[in-house]
Amino acid sequence: MSQKLIFAVDIGGTTCKLGIFDQHLTRLQKWAIKTDTSDPTGRKLLKNVYDAFVEQCNMLNYHLDDVIGMGIGVPGPVNFEKGIVNGAVNLNWPSKVNVAQLMKEFVDFPVIVDNDANIAALGEKHLGAGQDADDVVAITLGTGVGGGIISNGKIVHGHNGSGAELGHIRVDHDQRFDCNCGKAGCIETVASATGVVNLVKYYHPKLTIQSQLLPLIKQGDITAKDVFDAAKVGDAFSLFIVERIAQYIAYLASILSVTVNPKYIILGGGMADAGHILIENVKTAYHQLAFTPSQENTEIVLASLGNEAGIVGAAGLIKTYILEEE
């Protein structure tokens, strides 16, 4: 009996990470190709992806007849039921692209498409920090804030695909900073890498706390990494900023605890590289804020898959929505 295969695709603005997995999500091969953003219809990029899988299968002596399905993660809002991406700025897709339909021009097996943050959450649920739990939330802290919610083993999409847009929950009720969504006060404005800089610029003129960051602040060169590095060596102003950020993340986590009650709240993305100093502050604030019964046996943990989360989650789409429903 031949081995069953899953094709996994994590499309980014610069590269497409590709993987071949078996039905148990054991990775058999991974590689990457350059993302071709020259075609606003998306067809050229998807043909490149298909060709890359054919080439790899020929090299490894795998057969397309053994492929169960292809999971694809895309950096943009997705209509999950139809496999339509509602525009993706990083890919130069200005309008809707029916990724599933385009890929079906080349393959005759199922194609499932989802948002990249959702598949990263699914990846952590299957093989990462949320293993063996059916209720998991992943919060991605990077240049912006994203995330995904897994409830009863399935990704939360909502009726129009806006479910789990965690970056746009309002946590700064003073609405001090504008968000790129057109509103103000979203957690993205105070708990992303950009948000850290927002808070530094806001608080530094108001506080008399001395800081080793002063030269960088005056030059306008301050970064989130600078703040976390200074906090780790006891810089009082940086510690104040980290505590503020942690309060916002904990507030978001407390809301999620009484809505979907996850077993794991997973923090990932570049900001999570701050590690212990951020997560311990988040835990402290979370235990103060969250409804007590909702906290029971809930763990706040760091993501463990890193850049692998996307392709694992893309493969997980096939395992979750095809294999486990058979």
Side-chain angles (χ1 to χ4, degrees):
M1 182 178 174
S2 58
Q3 180 172 233
K4 295 300 181 184
L5 304 173
I6 296 173
F7 286 174
V9 185
D10 180 15
I11 299 177
T14 305
T15 62
C16 297
K17 298 182 184 70
L18 308 179
I20 300 175
F21 293 74
D22 70 12
Q23 67 266 43
H24 306 295
L25 296 191
T26 300
R27 193 185 72 230
L28 306 172
Q29 183 75 335
K30 74 165 183 173
W31 72 106
I33 62 171
K34 188 177 183 298
T35 301
D36 188 334
T37 59
S38 65
D39 177 10
T41 71
R43 191 179 189 281
K44 189 174 181 181
L45 169 57
L46 296 172
K47 178 66 163 57
N48 290 347
V49 167
Y50 168 74
D51 289 343
F53 277 112
V54 171
E55 181 183 1
Q56 200 71 210
C57 285
N58 288 339
M59 288 171 51
L60 298 169
N61 201 27
Y62 291 155
H63 303 288
L64 293 182
D65 290 345
D66 295 324
V67 179
I68 304 164
M70 177 187 290
I72 304 177
V74 181
V78 175
N79 180 322
F80 180 73
E81 296 298 325
K82 297 181 179 179
I84 297 173
V85 180
N86 294 310
V89 174
N90 291 348
L91 304 180
N92 188 34
W93 295 354
S95 53
K96 292 183 178 182
V97 174
N98 194 324
V99 172
Q101 186 178 79
L102 284 171
M103 188 56 79
K104 291 288 282 183
E105 292 180 17
F106 312 118
V107 304
D108 57 6
F109 44 74
V111 176
I112 302 179
V113 185
D114 211 331
N115 169 264
D116 57 355
N118 285 343
I119 66 165
L122 190 63
E124 290 288 345
K125 175 253 185 293
H126 277 296
L127 295 183
Q131 282 185 67
D132 305 320
D134 281 338
D135 298 280
V136 172
V137 170
I139 303 172
T140 306
L141 305 164
T143 306
V145 175
I149 297 173
I150 313 298
S151 183
N152 293 324
K154 301 291 178 67
I155 297 170
V156 171
H157 295 103
H159 78 96
N160 68 9
S162 297
E165 285 289 346
L166 304 183
H168 301 291
I169 293 177
R170 179 176 290 167
V171 301
D172 175 21
H173 300 296
D174 293 330
Q175 301 176 54
R176 292 167 293 177
F177 313 110
D178 292 334
C179 184
N180 59 19
C181 74
K183 303 289 177 66
C186 300
I187 192 169
E188 190 162 295
T189 68
V190 289
S192 63
T194 307
V196 174
V197 176
N198 285 343
L199 292 177
V200 168
K201 290 179 178 178
Y202 178 82
Y203 281 112
H204 189 262
K206 303 177 188 304
L207 299 175
T208 57
I209 304 173
Q210 291 299 310
S211 174
Q212 69 187 58
L213 296 176
L214 187 57
L216 291 173
I217 294 170
K218 286 182 175 178
Q219 293 166 21
D221 290 335
I222 194 76
T223 66
K225 185 178 185 302
D226 294 328
V227 175
F228 284 112
D229 286 347
K232 287 173 184 176
V233 295
D235 183 77
F237 177 69
S238 300
L239 284 166
F240 170 80
I241 296 295
V242 171
E243 288 171 2
R244 295 302 307 151
I245 297 161
Q247 283 280 336
Y248 292 123
I249 297 169
Y251 179 66
L252 170 60
S254 72
I255 293 170
L256 294 167
S257 277
V258 291
T259 48
V260 293
N261 193 214
K263 165 64 177 161
Y264 295 104
I265 298 171
I266 302 169
L267 304 183
M271 285 263 292
D273 290 343
H276 183 79
I277 195 165
L278 177 62
I279 198 167
E280 292 307 317
N281 274 288
V282 171
K283 286 179 181 178
T284 299
Y286 171 76
H287 292 310
Q288 293 169 347
L289 287 168
F291 178 53
T292 301
S294 74
Q295 297 183 34
E296 188 175 348
N297 297 323
T298 292
E299 297 179 46
I300 298 176
V301 297
L302 290 173
S304 65
L305 292 180
N307 290 332
E308 295 279 302
I311 57 169
V312 172
L317 288 173
I318 304 304
K319 181 173 174 61
T320 300
Y321 293 98
I322 294 179
L323 292 179
E324 291 179 359
E325 294 191 349
E326 285 181 346

